[in-house]
Amino acid sequence: MTVVRNEVITLPTGLGDAPSSVDLAAAEEFLRMFHDAHPEAGPLGQRLTQVRTEIADTGTYRHTPQELAYGARVALRDSGWCTSGVPWRRLKVRDLRGLRNAAAVAAECVQHLRLSTNNGQIQPLVTVFAPDGPNSPGPCVWNEQLVRYAGYRDANGKVLGDPRYAEFTDAVSRMGWKAPTQRGRFDHLPLVVETAHEGPKLFTVPRDVIQEVPLEHPELPWFVELGLRWHAVPVISNMRLVIGGITYPAAPFNSWFVGAEIGTRSLADEGAYAVAREVAERLGLDVRSERTLWRDRATIELNRAVLHSFDAAQVTITDHHAEALHRLAWLRSRQRAGGNRPAFRVDAVTAQRARLGTPARFTVTGSEERAAERTEAHGSRLAALLHKRLGA
């Protein structure tokens, strides 16, 4: 899965910094698009009048469930993240716009992971939480994906685990996360969910919800000795969903892995697990010069192992050749007109937060912390039940 859009925006830094009003032109463009696709939804003029009045009165408006589902599906289809074979028109959209508390958001992120895993038959999903409003910014998830592996840096700068998340690991450790006593290469990082009234909160993802695939090679018996594995579902969790001028800062979504995302980018790459050299040495290749192409040959075997292992475990995956054909078809048919089409977007600050664990999206004052404590103490029964189910 590859980011194809990376625009820089200004994010809210406090409770008063949410957008003052929804862009009416963006709302109207989306509603026309929706009604063109769904004439059974009723008169467009009537809906436009309703939304104009709502924006004039409140500064925002609320999508109908049908509008939300359509917008999320189009955003995933047009984003380039939708891997080949995903039936975007039937993509399931979980409408959880009523959830703003961190514990409830974290619990439903866990539920998203459980539902999408589906015993290996990966189910594409989008879960949409509360949007940004004029006076009530929505929650956000710091993590790049719901499942990421910790990186532990020692005094010499050497990293055990995933070096891409070494700084994030340090950040959550300072926030109170306790690493396992026996640190390993594939320790699961906690979720960080931030809300305007609570600040950032840590939540453990239950181990039994995370399906992982141990990697083996179809022809190399020694490959299992490398002890490699990877999680089954790529749930992107830090991209904002924008539909008709409304921003949903927490809208986790998934399709399924492209094998090269694991084999090439996560395992072979020198900036990640960097196991290509070890594989090459095991293969007896000459690693003294890049001109021998040892790295290419090792990476091919890593990708073969990933595809073979996922297939053997009956976990949905696609290969980069099938994905390349899909991308070419997508580029040919991609809708390019109009800057207000539904989209999943990531900005520089959000991407930094996912890797470094900083900066926080909101600044919570002492009075806001006390208000948050009262809110949590007297929160809804649903949030309490979800919090209990998560075990946080």
Side-chain angles (χ1 to χ4, degrees):
M1 302 177 73
T2 306
V3 170
V4 296
R5 187 164 186 169
N6 184 23
E7 63 178 57
V8 178
I9 63 166
T10 301
L11 287 179
T13 56
L15 288 174
D17 294 329
S20 57
S21 182
V22 167
D23 182 352
L24 179 59
E28 292 183 350
E29 182 177 333
F30 168 71
L31 291 172
R32 290 189 174 92
M33 178 182 173
F34 171 76
H35 279 262
D36 283 346
H38 296 277
E40 75 282 359
L44 170 62
Q46 182 178 328
R47 179 59 174 148
L48 287 174
T49 299
Q50 181 185 22
V51 167
R52 288 168 185 153
T53 301
E54 197 172 347
I55 292 175
D57 291 343
T58 68
T60 188
Y61 70 104
R62 181 177 175 83
H63 289 129
T64 67
Q66 294 76 20
E67 290 166 355
L68 179 72
Y70 175 73
R73 288 166 181 154
V74 169
L76 186 55
R77 181 197 67 186
D78 290 356
S79 69
W81 287 82
C82 194
T83 47
S84 57
V86 172
W88 70 272
R89 288 183 179 85
R90 300 195 303 275
L91 178 74
K92 184 176 180 181
V93 179
R94 304 174 69 229
D95 183 355
L96 298 178
R97 288 176 286 173
L99 300 185
R100 291 184 177 273
N101 289 343
V105 170
E108 288 301 337
C109 283
V110 170
Q111 180 66 357
H112 180 122
L113 187 58
R114 179 182 288 110
L115 293 172
S116 62
T117 302
N118 193 31
N119 294 317
Q121 304 305 301
I122 307 304
Q123 171 65 55
L125 296 175
V126 180
T127 297
V128 184
F129 295 107
D132 282 340
N135 300 303
S136 55
C140 72
V141 178
W142 286 17
N143 308 61
E144 196 170 53
Q145 294 188 26
L146 294 185
V147 181
R148 295 280 79 177
Y149 296 116
Y152 307 107
R153 196 183 305 277
D154 64 20
N156 299 318
K158 186 176 181 181
V159 177
L160 172 66
D162 195 334
R164 297 173 296 181
Y165 302 99
E167 287 79 9
F168 190 91
T169 302
D170 290 341
V172 295
S173 296
R174 290 192 296 270
M175 293 168 65
W177 179 64
K178 302 298 183 184
T181 304
Q182 284 290 111
R183 295 182 175 185
R185 301 168 74 190
F186 299 98
D187 294 341
H188 304 138
L189 285 165
L191 285 182
V192 182
V193 179
E194 185 182 3
T195 65
H197 62 284
E198 297 167 291
K201 299 287 185 181
L202 298 180
F203 300 91
T204 299
V205 180
R207 180 64 187 85
D208 63 345
V209 176
I210 302 173
Q211 181 174 350
E212 291 179 302
V213 178
L215 302 186
E216 60 183 21
H217 194 279
E219 298 167 2
L220 304 173
W222 51 261
F223 195 94
V224 295
E225 299 171 9
L226 300 177
L228 302 176
R229 63 177 186 265
W230 208 255
H231 57 99
V233 191
V235 184
I236 311 300
S237 48
N238 71 332
M239 297 185 77
R240 57 193 175 95
L241 172 60
V242 182
I243 304 174
I246 295 180
T247 295
Y248 299 93
F253 67 93
N254 72 280
S255 55
W256 43 71
F257 271 120
V258 178
E261 176 68 22
I262 302 170
T264 301
R265 296 181 185 174
S266 296
L267 297 177
D269 194 284
E270 288 296 318
Y273 277 85
V275 298
R277 180 178 294 272
E278 184 177 0
V279 171
E281 290 173 346
R282 291 266 197 154
L283 289 168
L285 304 180
D286 182 358
V287 299
R288 293 174 297 177
S289 170
E290 296 289 346
R291 287 182 66 84
T292 66
L293 301 185
W294 62 266
R295 194 182 303 277
D296 304 67
R297 294 171 66 184
T299 300
I300 287 173
E301 299 308 330
L302 280 165
N303 283 316
R304 289 185 67 199
V306 169
L307 294 174
H308 167 78
S309 301
F310 271 66
D311 287 345
Q314 297 184 323
V315 174
T316 310
I317 195 169
T318 188
D319 63 82
H320 58 282
H321 293 291
E323 193 59 21
L325 293 174
H326 165 71
R327 288 299 172 90
L328 287 173
W330 171 74
L331 287 170
R332 294 189 191 102
S333 63
R334 184 182 178 193
Q335 298 277 356
R336 298 177 185 274
N340 291 322
R341 293 179 65 83
F344 282 100
R345 298 172 181 168
V346 66
D347 58 85
V349 176
T350 301
Q352 174 184 325
R353 188 180 297 125
R355 292 298 178 97
L356 306 182
T358 186
R361 185 185 184 212
F362 305 108
T363 300
V364 180
T365 65
S367 61
E368 288 160 3
E369 286 181 346
R370 290 190 291 275
E373 291 172 358
R374 291 195 295 272
T375 299
E376 186 171 352
H378 300 287
S380 69
R381 181 173 179 271
L382 173 61
L385 288 172
L386 291 171
H387 190 104
K388 182 177 180 182
R389 185 176 76 183
L390 183 62

